[in-house]
Amino acid sequence: MSEWSGYQPADLLMFSPETYYRLFELYNMGLWPAQILPLAAGVSIAVLMVRGPCWRGRVIAALLALVWFFVAWAYFIDRYATINLAASYFALSFVVQAALLAVVGLIRAHITFDGVKSPTGRAGIGLFLFALVFHPLVGPLVGRELSGVELFGLAPDPTVVGTLGVLLAADRIRLGLFIIPVLWCAVTGTTLWIMNSPEALLMPLVGLSTFILAARNSLKRRHKRGFQN
């Protein structure tokens, strides 16, 4: 028992904070100049959420499915697996989420946008814009290298935040699609907390607040439907 008492939370990690953040720098260097592709996908999603043809939900779902699959392969399998044995499980969860987005949004067309008018919908758009524009600035703002910036469509955290924003902005809340993104918010928040990162609470707060908004919206819709019946 006395031996266990000497352990710190950081001892549970397989890597140091320096190694973790250096990984993003090497990741970005290895992908350059491919960063323009997820950026273009992000801008397209932002525009389509506000305006576009009736089938824009399918396009948005397809783009999200692609970036989730890309992060699973390019980041978790190709990079993160070199420092974390659990990376393959994280990759699998991202592949599952990509498949869910493809089935629900692309094949079944159950992710639709018909003008974002509700407060929840506007919050979703704001969250997506945060993921696309401001989340990448978090690292440099707390003193890390700009070369290690985490981008939507390439890194897991901004990709998860952006997806939560899209799901909130959709005409109908699909709670099942929130499960994996919210769980990832808890996982990455725990990792950052163990590393004493200043932004450790950011992802858990995003995940929790988003899920509360989604659940509240879903319950209101069910209550309204039951009242009408």
Side-chain angles (χ1 to χ4, degrees), residues 119-199:
T120 301
R122 289 193 289 269
I125 289 182
L127 188 60
F128 182 82
L129 292 177
F130 171 81
L132 187 63
V133 179
F134 297 105
H135 192 284
L137 301 177
V138 172
L141 285 175
V142 297
R144 291 195 287 273
E145 295 294 330
L146 185 62
S147 58
V149 68
E150 298 178 43
L151 299 173
F152 171 82
L154 295 183
D157 288 5
T159 302
V160 166
V161 173
T163 301
L164 288 172
V166 171
L167 296 176
L168 271 184
D171 293 339
R172 182 176 177 182
I173 298 294
R174 303 283 175 178
L175 282 178
L177 295 177
F178 283 79
I179 296 174
I180 291 176
V182 170
L183 286 176
W184 175 254
C185 288
V187 169
T188 191
T190 301
T191 301
L192 294 175
W193 174 73
I194 292 174
M195 295 193 303
N196 294 317
S197 297
E199 75 277 25

Side-chain angles (χ1 to χ4, degrees), residues 2 39 54 91 216:
S2 59
L39 176 61
C54 61
R216 179 174 175 270

Side-chain angles (χ1 to χ4, degrees), residues 61-83:
L63 290 173
L64 286 178
L66 283 173
V67 297
W68 275 77
F69 183 79
F70 182 81
V71 171
W73 167 71
Y75 176 72
F76 285 116
I77 297 299
D78 198 42
R79 294 288 178 173
Y80 200 37
T82 61
I83 64 171

Side-chain angles (χ1 to χ4, degrees), residues 3-5 9 72 81 91-93 96 134 142 150 157 172 204-205 227:
E3 294 179 359
W4 283 103
S5 64
L92 178 61
S93 70
V96 170
F134 297 105
V142 297
E150 298 178 43
D157 288 5
R172 182 176 177 182
L205 287 175
F227 182 78

Side-chain angles (χ1 to χ4, degrees), residues 120 168 173 175 178 209-219:
T120 301
L168 271 184
I173 298 294
L175 282 178
F178 283 79
S209 59
T210 301
F211 189 77
I212 290 174
L213 277 174
R216 179 174 175 270
N217 185 284
S218 182
L219 287 173

Side-chain angles (χ1 to χ4, degrees), residues 44-111:
S44 299
I45 291 172
V47 172
L48 288 171
M49 278 196 292
V50 178
R51 63 179 65 183
C54 61
W55 40 263
R56 55 184 163 156
R58 290 180 183 267
V59 177
I60 291 174
L63 290 173
L64 286 178
L66 283 173
V67 297
W68 275 77
F69 183 79
F70 182 81
V71 171
W73 167 71
Y75 176 72
F76 285 116
I77 297 299
D78 198 42
R79 294 288 178 173
Y80 200 37
T82 61
I83 64 171
N84 192 337
L85 295 177
S88 59
Y89 299 102
F90 299 148
L92 178 61
S93 70
F94 270 60
V95 170
V96 170
Q97 182 69 12
L100 289 173
L101 288 165
V103 171
V104 176
L106 177 60
I107 299 175
R108 297 184 178 176
H110 286 173
I111 299 178

